[in-house]
Amino acid sequence: MSKPRIVLAYSGGLDTSVAIEWLKEHKDVDVVACAVDVGQGVDDLDEIRQRGLDCGAVESVVIDAKQEFADEFIAPALKANAMYMNKYPLVSALSRPLIVKHLVKVARETDAAGVAHGCTGKGNDQVRFEVGTMTLAPDLQTLAPIREWGLTRDAAIDWAQERGIPIPVTSKTSPYSIDENAWGRTAECGILEDPWAKPPEDVFERTVSVADAPDEPDELVLAFEQGLPVSVDGVTMPLADLVAHLDERAGRHGVGRIDMIEDRLVGIKSREIYECPGAITLINAHRDLEDLCLEQELAEHKRTEEGRYAQLIYNGLWWGPLKRAIDAFMDEANRYVSGEVRVELFKGHATVVGRRSEAGLYSYDMATYDEGDQFDQTLAEGFVKLWGLPLKTWAAKVQQQGDRW
Ligand code: ARG
């Protein structure tokens, strides 16, 4: 009788390469390796596919999901200006639900009993993989070989070498734990675990330091339609290409470095370094265009929804009903967010220096202090009196009763 199958989220790195053999030995299963390209910068997907087989998988699939990641994951996040703790554009948190979607699809195609991931027990990613799987496929089991096994990296290397598993060679030297995709790059571990230590330059790959950034700014014009960017400097491109272009261009000016103390869902505070030049540039520009196009009450409410939305994505609830409902709100809110934004990339900043829109609510006639002012200032007198009336009434009452402050 054939063994039950498990679809493993495979990166081609040390942990998941070793996990294949471990699952076979300890769980008596056949492993299907599944690698998903979300723009993490792998050159050769075929090589990863082959490595999965060499490490003992019965089947190995690689999926190019770069376009899908941009259109179905980055796009809604951008419409919501989604930033966890107002700082982190959710890089890893966005890719996990997409990887889960493909794991489940492959599990169905190969008639598997469950899925597995290579996360430890200390992070958010285990939650995103497992809760995502529970939501899309409540009948599938989830396995966490690295969490269950609890081996250090060096011990894992020795274990693999004893068995002749062809693990990737670079693993023993890299001091950081890296995850990356089209929306950014994350770094943890090593010296970064001391929150007082300044991140060494070798942490960074997508950005230059401000000290090395060019002395000339780079100005670009981004066009948006209904909340999404469609062109750069008049050149129309698909979202995936546009994000990649901006990431590179803004990275050259040192834009998008983030150094933060982060509240993980599992209760740990951790020190995280992110590089998100494209994401930061786009969110800055999108927010600014919203300021021009959104009616005040909607703008105010949208800001509160944005925080909630980022939090639920961070916490692994992507496939749940609240996410879907807030998406509907975000789509509606972005209906008139179309126009152009001028952005200057310079010395670590992506600064909006101009914006315009057919749907813009800015009125020169209302705003100007010059000739042509259409704002009726006589209306302000009554408005201010009524606006302040509740406070005036309250203050008179408490002062009468001797309250002084
Ligand atoms: N702390 C970030 C998050 O939870 C980054 C996680 C990176 N994942 C990793 N396996 N290195 O989204």
Side-chain angles (χ1 to χ4, degrees), residues 88-268:
Y88 165 46
L90 297 171
V91 177
S92 307
L94 284 182
S95 73
R96 302 315 182 207
L98 170 59
I99 297 171
V100 166
K101 179 181 163 188
H102 284 287
L103 290 178
V104 167
K105 197 158 165 260
V106 172
R108 296 307 185 207
E109 285 161 5
T110 56
D111 204 17
V115 304
H117 59 76
C119 308
T120 70
K122 297 185 72 171
N124 302 305
D125 288 327
Q126 55 175 341
V127 182
R128 297 166 185 152
F129 275 113
E130 290 176 44
V131 174
T133 306
M134 282 178 219
T135 320
L136 291 183
D139 58 303
L140 289 182
Q141 54 167 311
T142 52
L143 294 175
I146 302 299
R147 183 177 68 201
E148 201 177 321
W149 194 11
L151 269 199
T152 63
R153 282 177 84 76
D154 287 349
I157 290 170
D158 295 341
W159 189 87
Q161 279 168 351
E162 278 162 28
R163 285 163 178 75
I165 301 168
I167 49 167
V169 280
T170 52
S171 315
K172 222 163 189 168
T173 50
S174 172
Y176 312 112
S177 162
I178 303 291
D179 182 51
E180 58 184 319
N181 61 49
W183 205 225
R185 184 170 180 277
T186 79
E188 303 165 340
C189 300
I191 180 74
L192 304 176
E193 286 176 356
D194 174 359
W196 179 250
K198 183 180 169 185
E201 264 316 297
D202 71 355
V203 175
F204 301 103
E205 226 171 59
R206 293 194 185 189
T207 52
V208 301
S209 71
V210 170
D212 293 332
D215 292 325
E216 289 299 313
D218 178 10
E219 192 183 298
L220 56 95
V221 176
L222 276 171
F224 285 83
E225 271 171 29
Q226 302 200 314
L228 290 180
V230 291
S231 73
V232 184
D233 296 328
V235 182
T236 303
M237 16 183 151
L239 185 60
D241 296 355
L242 190 146
V243 170
H245 171 83
L246 284 183
D247 205 60
E248 203 268 319
R249 199 160 156 185
R252 260 188 268 144
H253 288 269
V255 172
R257 287 189 176 186
I258 300 158
D259 177 345
M260 67 184 282
I261 301 294
E262 182 172 303
D263 286 321
R264 287 193 191 163
L265 179 58
V266 293
I268 300 170

Side-chain angles (χ1 to χ4, degrees), residues 301-323:
H301 184 69
K302 185 170 184 291
R303 283 190 283 273
T304 67
E305 292 290 329
E306 288 174 359
R308 189 75 181 81
Y309 186 80
Q311 192 178 29
L312 76 88
I313 293 171
Y314 186 86
N315 290 344
L317 306 178
W318 177 277
W319 296 110
L322 179 57
K323 154 78 173 47

